[in-house]
Amino acid sequence: PTARCTAAAARRRTGRSRDDRQGGRGVNAPGSDAILERLASLHPKMIDLSLERVLRLLAALGDPHKTLPPVVHVAGTNGKGSTQAMIRAGLEAGGARVHAYTSPHLVRFHERIRLAGTLIDDAALVALLDEVETVNAGAPITFFEVTTCAAFLAFSRTPADWLLLEVGLGGRLDTTNVVERPALCVITPVSMDHEAYLGDRLELIAGEKAGILKPGVTCVVGPQAPEAMAVIEARADALGCPLIAHGRDWLAWTERGRMVFQDGHGLLDLPLPVLPGAHQIDNAGAALAALRALGRLDLAGSHVAEAAVSRAEWPARMQRLRRGPLVDAAPGVELWLDGGHNPSAGAALAAVLAGMPVRPTHLICGMLNTKDVGGFLRPLAGVAAGLHAVSIPAAPATLPAATTAEAARAVALPAQVAEGVAAALAAIVASEPGARVVICGSLYLAGTVLAENG
């Protein structure tokens, strides 16, 4: 993270790594590529948590963060994107115009900025990036900081009813935490990740996430470990923030092939979330609690609640690949893609696979060298027959495939090395033609697969 960028590294950092909340290789339109490359080289570190640089640039830009639509600020370790996608689906079903900011992207930078329901077009993006680059005048600033300033300019200039703002990394010192009074905060489950930046104990990480809380602003809280919840509650008490907490103020569960949501207004009987996995039930519950707090659900829940769980789209979260070159090369194989990359995500993926119809399951896994590989793979050893390890193309911090394979064997998961996803898939098809195959371990890898698979 502290290495200076070469031109090639800068190009990679203009892309897609939620794993590091900064860059990765991307596929952008030619007009934005060159500016993104230059912006990626303005700071020697990929991650440098601070608010000083972003506040300086925002002030020079006229403080666009002070003229945003009502903001829903979303923090947490896992489930932020899914929860935000469900909130957006519900708001839009109710007729609202919704901005959304997520980071980073999987294939194209434009995925990060959604203006009133539509991804930003290249002409608008180029104009914004050019403006922030000119005003910044070469001053040191991280890629995430300067591009977030561009996003705030876009959000402040385009009319909308809401802005859904996802935290990049942590919360307290995250670039998005310059919004002085959001309409609502949401904290999804907190777990161990990014220990080098957020602390090596769950309480420390929870404290960073709780840093988004603002005096008097309500916060919806997803399921938490007791030690994380204690930190969030203490911060909320100090600031006078009402909490709408899982297990106390709302619950969500499955019953007879449906989802049930319960809060102080009663029960909602809903379809299962379109995003698969038991963990998405809790994410959907947090989204519905947020919609209730925003006044978007009537007493019956109506179509808004149903839309929130049934219309949300969020790629690379147990996404079934049904077409494209990889699918064509493996007829009869059930092919899935998941970008989870920490121990909690590994446990969630294992739970999803355990609940699926019985079928031989093989993993194709690539990870970054900043991740707890053993922690991610350990729960998967009980549900997968084997693993093919790959290095992630164009990712400077990729873990060598051999190291991933070694970590898999250490948790009793049979593993071998493959030169790439296509080669791994071919090997699996040759040995088990009707397998279920899950490509997993990193959003870097997921983005590469989505780009190459069309």
Side-chain angles (χ1 to χ4, degrees):
T2 60
R4 284 195 177 273
C5 300
T6 62
R11 183 179 298 107
R12 286 190 291 266
R13 287 171 55 189
T14 61
R16 54 164 192 279
S17 172
R18 186 179 301 269
D19 296 11
D20 279 328
R21 311 307 306 184
Q22 297 288 340
R25 182 173 60 84
V27 180
N28 300 297
S32 55
D33 255 347
I35 306 177
L36 289 167
E37 274 193 46
R38 293 197 300 270
L39 295 178
S41 65
L42 291 174
H43 197 283
K45 296 181 180 180
M46 289 179 67
I47 300 172
D48 186 14
L49 297 179
S50 168
L51 296 180
E52 295 178 3
R53 293 177 301 273
V54 68
L55 287 171
R56 168 192 57 76
L57 180 53
L58 286 170
L61 291 167
D63 289 323
H65 62 299
K66 295 182 179 180
T67 56
L68 299 171
V71 170
V72 178
H73 202 187
V74 185
T77 305
N78 293 309
K80 296 187 297 295
S82 299
T83 301
Q84 180 168 309
M86 287 188 262
I87 296 173
R88 180 166 66 85
L91 290 174
E92 290 178 342
R97 296 168 299 174
V98 184
H99 295 331
Y101 186 59
T102 59
S103 64
H105 58 277
L106 292 172
V107 180
R108 302 179 70 234
F109 182 91
H110 305 62
E111 298 166 29
R112 301 184 184 211
I113 302 172
R114 186 176 293 271
L115 299 176
T118 302
L119 294 181
I120 191 167
D121 63 45
D122 196 62
L125 179 60
V126 167
L128 289 164
L129 296 176
D130 183 66
E131 182 174 353
V132 297
E133 183 182 33
T134 300
V135 172
N136 186 65
I141 191 166
T142 70
F143 180 80
F144 185 66
E145 290 166 351
V146 71
T147 53
T148 299
C149 288
F152 282 158
L153 280 179
F155 296 141
S156 69
R157 294 170 178 175
T158 305
D161 301 299
W162 303 97
L163 165 57
L164 306 183
L165 186 62
E166 182 187 349
V167 164
L169 177 63
R172 181 176 64 93
L173 294 176
D174 183 72
T175 301
T176 63
N177 201 30
V178 296
V179 176
E180 295 174 354
R181 189 168 180 83
L184 181 71
C185 294
V186 179
I187 300 179
T188 64
V190 176
S191 61
M192 299 301 294
D193 200 6
H194 296 293
E195 293 92 334
Y197 302 100
L198 305 180
D200 58 1
R201 291 186 293 117
L202 191 60
E203 297 92 332
L204 296 175
I205 296 175
E208 293 298 316
K209 308 292 185 182
I212 70 166
L213 298 181
K214 302 296 186 298
V217 176
T218 297
C219 180
V220 171
V221 184
Q224 304 292 343
E227 57 268 41
M229 191 64 197
V231 172
I232 295 169
E233 287 179 329
R235 182 64 178 166
D237 288 345
L239 295 176
C241 301
L243 295 184
I244 302 174
H246 171 267
R248 185 189 70 190
D249 304 300
W250 63 270
L251 288 167
W253 68 92
T254 57
E255 187 174 309
R256 298 179 182 178
R258 303 274 292 176
M259 173 182 164
V260 181
F261 174 79
Q262 181 180 18
D263 63 3
H265 294 268
L267 296 173
L268 294 177
D269 178 21
L270 301 165
L272 291 176
V274 67
L275 301 176
H279 58 292
Q280 295 293 2
I281 300 296
D282 288 331
N283 292 337
L288 293 171
L291 289 166
R292 181 81 79 190
L294 295 172
R296 299 298 98 184
L297 296 184
D298 59 25
L299 292 179
S302 72
H303 66 288
V304 170
E306 291 201 8
V309 300
S310 63
R311 297 185 194 173
E313 297 180 355
W314 198 231
R317 281 75 179 175
M318 271 309 283
Q319 176 184 356
R320 176 77 182 272
L321 300 182
R322 298 183 181 276
R323 61 183 63 87
L326 287 176
V327 178
D328 294 342
V333 166
E334 186 180 292
L335 190 58
W336 296 82
L337 181 65
D338 188 78
H341 48 263
N342 55 40
S344 294
L349 176 57
V352 173
L353 294 173
M356 288 178 146
V358 176
R359 190 168 184 170
T361 299
H362 293 261
L363 308 178
I364 299 174
C365 183
M367 299 192 71
L368 295 185
N369 59 21
T370 55
K371 299 302 166 185
D372 180 358
V373 184
F376 174 76
L377 294 177
R378 190 168 291 110
L380 292 164
V383 295
L387 177 146
H388 284 69
V390 299
S391 297
I392 305 172
T398 184
L399 196 69
T403 306
T404 301
E406 182 181 349
R409 297 184 197 109
V411 297
L413 180 56
Q416 56 187 289
V417 171
E419 290 191 4
V421 170
L425 186 59
I428 294 169
V429 170
S431 63
E432 200 124 40
R436 174 180 295 122
V437 177
V438 183
I439 305 168
C440 62
S442 171
L443 281 167
Y444 259 111
L445 181 61
T448 296
V449 169
L450 288 174
E452 294 179 354
N453 195 52

